[in-house]
């Protein structure tokens, strides 16, 4: 094969590509003559990019704004083209234009103006991420001439919102890109634990004093004894008439609650039948009830139980028997298991 | 008012003697006799309840003999009219019509016990006359007013048969101091005595053993007034009585419960103020008979059921079963309401 044959396809390809380009150029020239179009600004007359002041490229979270200040040197007669500037509200899923300001920047150069595009970050990220602010074009016109200024893309680092760090100024304590430190809550925890312990202790003490703890709720005479003891401390061993009446009421309440019904003097035998643990105190109880009737109903005064001490002693004895009975009464928890007869 | 002052101590002795004599006549009924004695000295009218043949008439005749004064009895029938209590007419031997005083006024003011047997067989017109009679102890007849100052009405209700009966209105029931149940004794030896002891077979002979006029019926009103003036209550007991009363009206609020009963719906209306006044009146007599001049809760208890139960208006659903519910309800009220 000779060289002519070897380069023939290449020569054919080149000649075809050259012919096509030439045809395009001619067609374009013809079209430009028939349909006049906006021209390209001549060199040295138009809009020139002076500089761009970028915001920081890190530490953004949702809602933050990115002001981009574009300073342009604009010759006379050049104005922003219709739709040549982005509109407020325009944007993509990540950024949205919040503000577009134009300010004179003659301190920079004689014909300088600053266009401030304030974008807002609309995307919340789950983890630190780099987001791309798309390039923007600012287009200017003078008569039929158009000139576009390209604002390049800009990348920022966005971070998720973090837990607030301070109770008092929680809004400002939310920082992006910042790993929250745990509060040192040991002191308030200790303080709270101390107060809780104190409150629980007081509550338990109150319950105990009121006879509602440790099974005392089921021991009415223990409660009655406490009431009379308190009265005795407050009023002395003799006590006045009102205090003695209160003490007798405590005794009656103890009897009533023990058997679940009102116990009157004539009902004492029934009371002792239902609560045989007090059998040995039958005489004392009868005397106390008789004394109670003299206090409450105006019957002749009784020789016994005219003082606190007698009633206090009786209630102490009743309390002791009640406690003893409670210890020896099988409850559901400690009752012996029922025995079954083994038939052989 | 009798000019002589009332010696309550002596009268108590006579009252207890009267009670003892009644107990000799009516075997195994000490509580009934005590309640009758209370009613006599509280000067209240009494509804009697009990089956036939349990001794109601014997009891009343014995009471009338012990009190003194006249005794009259009338049978309640569906055709009984108010006039039949006041007069009766007949044709005399000479063929001329005669009008004579009826059982109410035949003995004039001497009438001390008037027994109305099966009162619920009489018509409401008769009940109306009885209302006035019990409230005012007067009756108008023959263009004049007859005063019956010492009369006590004892009435019996037939609770077995319901045909041709007219239930007493609550207003009439409320006039009765007590409703006393006359029951056959339970004790076997007493039952044997009633069967085989011949002295119980002749009721009239038995009644004659009661000393006539053991109590002077003309003095009973004065004695009753003296008892009420003498026996005193106390503030604690007053409060207890009020609690008992309110518990009959609003039982749920006072923790009164009955099994299988919606207690909120149980009571239509509780005891009336007159009822509780009568309760305390009877309780004072009870205290006096017990030898006290101060009221204690047991005095209220002993007469509470008889003085209050018949005044309670139960809801219709429970009214038909009153005997089933009334006593447990009253017992529960006494159980729940506490007093020192």
């Amino acid at each position: 094969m000779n060289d002519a044959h070897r380069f023939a396809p290449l020569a054919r390809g080149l000649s075809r590509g050259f012919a096509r380009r030439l045809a395009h150029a001619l067609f374009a020239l013809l079209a430009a003559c028939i349909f006049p179009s906006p021209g390209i600004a001549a060199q040295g007359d138009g809009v020139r990019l002076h500089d761009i002041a970028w915001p920081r490229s890190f530490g953004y979270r949702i809602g933050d704004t990115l002001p981009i200040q574009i300073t342009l040197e604009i010759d006379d007669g050049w104005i922003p083209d219709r739709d040549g500037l982005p509109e407020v509200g325009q944007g993509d899923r990540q950024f949205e234009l919040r503000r577009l300001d134009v300010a004179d920047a003659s301190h920079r150069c004689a014909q300088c103006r600053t266009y401030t595009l304030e974008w807002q970050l609309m995307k919340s990220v789950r983890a630190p991420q780099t987001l791309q602010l798309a390039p923007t074009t600012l287009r200017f016109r003078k008569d039929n001439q158009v000139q576009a200024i390209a604002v390049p893309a800009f990348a920022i680092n966005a971070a998720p919102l973090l837990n607030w760090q301070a109770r008092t100024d929680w809004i400002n304590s939310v920082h992006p890109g910042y790993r929250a430190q745990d509060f040192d809550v040991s002191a308030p925890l200790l303080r709270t634990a101390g107060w809780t312990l104190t409150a629980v202790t007081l509550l338990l003490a109150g319950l105990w004093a009121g006879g509602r703890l440790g099974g005392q709720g089921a021991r009415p005479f223990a409660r009655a004894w406490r009431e009379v003891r308190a009265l005795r401390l407050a009023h002395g061993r003799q006590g006045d008439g009102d205090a003695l009446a209160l003490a007798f009421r405590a005794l009656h309440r103890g009897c009533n609650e023990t058997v679940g019904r009102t116990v009157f003097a004539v009902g004492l035998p029934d009371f002792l039948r239902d609560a045989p643990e007090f059998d040995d105190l039958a005489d004392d109880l009868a005397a106390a009830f008789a004394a109670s009737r003299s206090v409450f109903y105006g019957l002749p005064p009784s020789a016994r139980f005219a003082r606190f001490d007698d009633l206090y002693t009786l209630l102490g004895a009743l309390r002791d028997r009640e406690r003893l009975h409670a210890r020896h009464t099988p409850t559901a928890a400690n009752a012996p298991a029922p025995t079954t007869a083994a038939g052989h | 008012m009798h000019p002589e002052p009332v010696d309550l101590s002596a009268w108590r002795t006579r009252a207890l003697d009267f009670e003892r004599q009644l107990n000799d006549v009516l075997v195994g009924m000490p509580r009934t006799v005590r309640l009758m004695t209370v009613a006599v000295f509280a000067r209240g009218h009494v509804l009697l309840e009990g089956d036939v043949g349990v001794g109601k008439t014997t009891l009343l005749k014995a009471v009338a003999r012990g009190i003194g004064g006249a005794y009259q009895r009338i049978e309640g029938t569906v055709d009984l009219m108010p006039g039949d209590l006041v007069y009766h007419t007949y044709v005399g031997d000479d063929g001329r019509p005669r009008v004579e005083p009826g059982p109410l006024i035949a003995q004039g003011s001497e009438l001390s016990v008037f027994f109305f047997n099966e009162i619920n067989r009489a018509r409401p017109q008769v009940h109306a006359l009885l209302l006035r009679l019990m409230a005012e102890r007067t009756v108008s007849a023959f263009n004049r007013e007859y005063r019956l100052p010492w009369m006590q009405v004892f009435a019996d209700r037939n609770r077995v048969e319901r045909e041709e009966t007219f239930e007493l209105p609550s207003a009439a029931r409320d006039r009765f101091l007590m409703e006393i149940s006359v029951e056959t004794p339970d004790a076997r030896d007493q039952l044997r005595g009633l069967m085989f002891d011949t002295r119980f077979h002749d009721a009239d002979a038995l009644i004659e053993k009661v000393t006539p006029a053991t109590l002077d019926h003309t003095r009973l009103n004065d004695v009753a007034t003296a008892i009420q003036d003498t026996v005193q209550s106390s503030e604690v007991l007053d409060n207890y009585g009020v609690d008992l009363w309110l518990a009959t009206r609003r039982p749920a609020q006072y923790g009164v419960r009955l099994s299988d009963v919606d207690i909120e719906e149980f009571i239509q209306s509780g005891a009336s103020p007159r009822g509780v006044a009568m309760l305390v009146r009877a309780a004072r007599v009870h205290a006096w008979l017990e030898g006290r001049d101060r009221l204690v809760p047991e005095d209220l208890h002993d007469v509470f059921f008889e003085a209050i139960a018949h005044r309670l208006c139960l809801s219709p659903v429970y009214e038909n079963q009153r005997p089933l519910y009334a006593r447990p309800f009253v017992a529960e009220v006494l159980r729940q309401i506490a007093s020192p």
Side-chain angles (χ1 to χ4, degrees):
Chain A
M1 188 177 292
N2 58 21
D3 287 346
H5 284 101
R6 202 179 325 155
F7 292 105
L10 179 61
R12 275 201 300 276
L14 282 174
S15 63
R16 276 192 207 122
F18 180 74
R20 193 163 50 242
R21 279 196 203 98
L22 186 61
H24 284 172
L26 288 173
F27 180 75
L29 184 61
L30 183 63
C33 293
I34 297 171
F35 308 104
S37 63
I40 306 300
Q43 189 68 25
D45 180 27
V47 180
R48 292 170 296 281
L49 178 63
H50 191 278
D51 61 58
I52 298 176
W54 299 100
R56 72 177 194 277
S57 62
F58 59 90
Y60 289 96
R61 62 188 188 276
I62 183 170
D64 283 352
T65 54
L66 296 80
I68 300 175
Q69 293 179 332
I70 306 157
T71 305
L72 302 177
E73 190 175 351
I74 304 172
D75 289 335
D76 292 340
W78 287 88
I79 57 171
D81 191 9
R82 186 180 65 180
D83 302 334
L85 298 179
E87 290 184 4
V88 172
Q90 173 184 329
D92 53 19
R93 290 168 54 194
Q94 297 180 356
F95 297 94
E96 187 174 308
L97 186 64
R98 280 280 143 251
R99 189 163 61 93
L100 172 59
D101 287 339
V102 182
D104 181 51
S106 54
H107 59 283
R108 307 285 297 274
C109 66
Q111 292 180 307
C112 278
R113 270 184 284 175
T114 298
Y115 284 78
T116 303
L117 304 178
E118 189 174 279
W119 297 91
Q120 187 171 25
L121 176 60
M122 306 300 286
K123 177 174 177 167
S124 174
V125 293
R126 291 176 183 276
Q129 186 180 347
T130 300
L131 301 177
Q132 199 79 18
L133 179 62
T136 314
T137 301
L138 308 180
R139 205 168 57 248
F140 293 84
R141 166 186 288 276
K142 180 179 181 184
D143 301 331
N144 287 333
Q145 301 178 71
V146 173
Q147 188 166 355
I149 302 295
V151 179
F154 182 62
I156 62 163
N157 290 326
L161 290 175
L162 296 182
N163 293 332
W164 48 270
Q165 296 279 296
R167 196 179 293 273
T168 52
D169 187 20
W170 64 273
I171 291 264
N172 292 327
S173 71
V174 178
H175 294 295
Y178 173 83
R179 183 173 179 77
Q181 299 295 320
D182 289 339
F183 283 124
D184 180 11
V185 291
S186 55
L189 269 181
L190 278 173
R191 204 162 48 241
T192 306
W195 281 115
T196 306
L197 188 65
T198 306
V200 168
T201 306
L202 288 174
L203 178 68
L204 292 176
L207 290 174
W208 182 77
R212 291 190 170 85
L213 196 65
Q216 291 182 68
R219 298 213 296 270
F221 282 121
R223 201 161 56 249
W225 177 77
R226 285 181 195 286
E227 288 177 32
V228 173
R229 185 183 61 175
L231 286 169
R232 190 165 169 260
L233 289 172
H235 296 272
R237 293 188 169 202
Q238 296 294 330
D240 57 13
D242 290 343
L244 195 60
L246 287 174
F248 273 116
R249 281 184 188 276
L251 170 71
H252 287 296
R253 204 159 38 243
C255 292
N256 296 347
E257 291 176 9
T258 297
V259 291
R261 64 171 184 274
T262 307
V263 179
F264 293 95
V266 294
L268 271 177
D270 293 336
F271 170 79
L272 294 171
R273 191 188 62 231
D274 294 342
E277 62 270 24
F278 307 117
D279 257 345
D280 61 324
L281 297 173
D283 291 342
D284 289 336
L285 275 171
F289 269 65
S292 161
R293 287 153 78 90
S294 69
V295 168
F296 290 114
Y297 304 124
L299 295 179
S302 170
R304 295 182 61 194
F305 296 101
R307 301 182 315 149
F308 261 159
D309 271 357
D310 299 336
L311 206 51
Y312 181 68
T313 307
L314 172 63
L315 279 169
L318 289 165
R319 177 208 56 187
D320 293 342
R321 280 152 186 77
E322 180 183 63
R323 185 192 300 161
L324 201 64
H325 177 71
R327 280 183 187 165
H328 292 97
T329 302
T331 61
N334 63 10
T339 55
T340 54
H344 292 291
Chain B
M1 179 71 75
H2 202 279
E4 290 179 24
V6 174
D7 180 358
L8 278 183
S9 177
W11 268 98
R12 179 168 174 267
T13 306
R14 292 167 76 174
L16 294 178
D17 184 39
F18 169 74
E19 195 177 11
R20 183 189 53 75
Q21 293 184 53
L22 291 184
N23 276 320
D24 287 342
V25 173
L26 292 142
V27 67
M29 295 186 189
R31 178 167 164 74
T32 303
V33 168
R34 167 53 63 99
L35 291 169
M36 287 294 282
T37 311
V38 168
V40 165
F41 282 94
R43 310 307 296 141
H45 309 293
V46 175
L47 265 175
L48 290 170
E49 188 194 27
D51 296 335
V52 291
V54 293
K56 293 192 292 288
T57 307
T58 306
L59 171 65
L60 287 180
K61 282 183 176 176
V63 167
R65 187 176 172 86
I67 290 176
Y71 167 81
Q72 281 290 346
R73 167 183 176 146
I74 195 164
E75 301 293 330
T77 58
V78 70
D79 57 350
L80 184 74
M81 295 303 288
D84 297 332
L85 275 70
V86 179
Y87 64 89
H88 73 273
T89 58
Y90 65 99
V91 178
D93 294 339
D94 54 0
R96 300 178 64 181
R98 300 279 171 83
V99 180
E100 294 291 339
L104 265 183
I105 57 175
Q107 276 88 16
S109 61
E110 281 299 303
L111 180 63
S112 61
V113 172
F114 182 72
F115 180 32
F116 202 133
N117 195 25
E118 297 201 355
I119 189 173
N120 57 338
R121 285 207 181 279
R123 289 177 172 278
Q125 298 95 312
V126 180
H127 296 162
L129 173 72
L130 207 65
L131 262 176
R132 178 188 166 182
L133 191 65
M134 290 193 293
E136 301 175 7
R137 286 193 166 90
T138 62
V139 62
S140 297
F142 305 116
N143 296 325
R144 57 169 285 206
E145 188 175 79
Y146 288 82
R147 294 187 65 250
L148 308 166
W150 301 302
M151 184 206 63
Q152 270 186 284
V153 174
F154 294 85
D156 162 53
R157 277 196 283 183
N158 183 327
R159 286 195 175 277
V160 180
E161 290 132 351
R162 290 287 176 186
E163 294 80 16
E164 293 185 339
T165 60
F166 302 90
E167 192 48 63
L168 278 179
S170 58
R173 286 204 310 270
D174 203 47
R175 307 266 179 201
F176 286 98
L177 173 76
M178 289 194 270
E179 182 174 37
I180 300 174
S181 177
V182 183
E183 304 284 351
T184 311
D186 291 332
R188 193 171 180 83
D189 56 339
Q190 290 172 343
L191 291 173
R192 196 174 59 227
L194 284 174
M195 276 184 74
F196 295 103
D197 191 342
T198 52
R199 72 188 178 100
F200 292 117
H201 295 177
D202 186 352
D204 289 337
L206 207 57
I207 291 165
E208 281 183 7
K209 290 182 180 174
V210 176
T211 308
T214 304
L215 311 173
D216 179 0
H217 69 285
T218 62
R219 299 298 316 274
L220 284 177
N221 288 351
D222 297 333
V223 176
T225 304
I227 292 169
Q228 298 300 318
D229 291 343
T230 303
V231 179
Q232 298 298 311
S233 180
S234 62
E235 187 183 349
V236 173
L237 193 109
D238 292 350
N239 289 329
Y240 178 59
V242 171
D243 283 340
L244 286 177
W245 179 19
L246 293 178
T248 68
R249 300 174 73 87
R250 299 192 289 268
Q253 287 183 17
Y254 283 81
V256 179
R257 301 278 183 275
L258 283 179
S259 60
D260 302 330
V261 169
D262 180 2
I263 203 71
E264 297 274 5
E265 301 293 327
F266 182 68
I267 290 287
Q268 209 165 41
S269 72
S272 63
R274 175 170 43 209
V276 287
M278 286 186 174
L279 165 71
V280 175
R281 189 176 176 84
R284 282 200 165 101
V285 175
H286 188 274
W288 172 71
L289 286 172
E290 291 290 323
R292 280 184 270 103
D293 61 355
R294 306 289 300 200
L295 274 177
V296 295
E298 286 82 353
D299 295 323
L300 293 174
H301 298 169
D302 281 348
V303 296
F304 190 75
F305 178 78
E306 285 75 13
I308 294 297
H310 67 284
R311 302 175 202 279
L312 303 176
C313 288
L314 309 186
S315 298
V317 67
Y318 300 109
E319 185 62 51
N320 288 335
Q321 303 175 74
R322 173 181 282 269
L324 191 65
Y325 290 114
R327 191 170 284 278
F329 173 73
V330 169
E332 190 62 16
V333 168
L334 294 178
R335 264 173 61 96
Q336 289 298 328
I337 307 305
S339 177

